Amino acid sequence: MRTNSLSFALTVGMGLIVVLMGYAVLSGAGLVGFAAADVAAAAQSELASPLVASKAKASPADGRPVVDKTSPAIAAGDALFKANCTQCHAVNEQVVGPALAGITKRRSIGWIIPWVKNSAKVVASGDEYAVALYNRFQKQQMPSFRLSDKEIEEIVAYVSSEMGGAVTIDDSSLTAAY
């Protein structure tokens, strides 16, 4: 059987599309994802906590802090967010799930970490905010993710940097109506 280069290219292209679609489905189900171990290792060596911007300074225009978006923790959070979260979330707009801008004002990092790791368990525990969130999004369950606490903190740092706010966590903000 003779094949010309065009039919070969089309066959390879279709094969790649099928593989990418399969990966997207598995990623959306939380079965595969990008661990970013190499980026996380670099972040660990440079920052003690990814939730504190080391080069924050006041912006002359509006007085809000400017976050160093080149920090390794934020770069790692960017990669992790794009690999694990963008199927359902955006920073400033609702997609399948809620917009994540201001998440640290609504919930503490102590609440966010267990939620990302296993939201069904948090909902089943009867947590009022988790149940309200679950009901608001038509009982669409967020998949569980096998991310470390540090990786989740890096994602939160990235989200905070993208919304233009200071990259800090206020553990006392445990109540907020959604």
Side-chain angles (χ1 to χ4, degrees), residues 81-158:
F81 182 82
K82 288 176 180 166
N84 295 288
C85 309
T86 56
Q87 296 88 352
C88 300
H89 295 282
V91 174
N92 293 306
E93 59 188 66
Q94 179 178 320
V95 185
V96 174
L100 298 180
I103 186 66
T104 58
K105 293 177 183 169
R106 298 189 300 268
R107 299 282 89 191
S108 70
I109 194 69
W111 187 93
I112 294 168
I113 289 172
W115 173 261
V116 172
K117 288 184 175 185
N118 191 344
S119 65
K121 186 176 179 181
V122 179
V123 170
S125 76
D127 181 276
E128 187 177 318
Y129 186 84
V131 171
L133 191 61
Y134 176 70
N135 289 330
R136 178 172 181 192
F137 289 91
Q138 293 77 41
K139 299 187 179 187
Q140 179 76 23
Q141 191 69 54
M142 182 173 128
S144 298
F145 289 94
R146 290 184 174 196
L147 296 169
S148 69
D149 293 359
K150 185 174 186 317
E151 288 172 322
I152 295 169
E153 289 174 350
E154 290 168 342
I155 291 169
V156 170
Y158 165 73

Side-chain angles (χ1 to χ4, degrees), residues 40-88:
Q44 184 177 10
S45 67
E46 291 196 22
L47 293 176
S49 172
L51 299 176
V52 179
S54 60
K55 297 180 182 176
K57 55 188 172 199
S59 168
D62 59 8
R64 291 187 311 172
V66 175
V67 177
D68 175 18
K69 293 185 180 187
T70 62
S71 93
I74 291 175
D78 179 22
L80 288 163
F81 182 82
K82 288 176 180 166
N84 295 288
C85 309
T86 56
Q87 296 88 352
C88 300

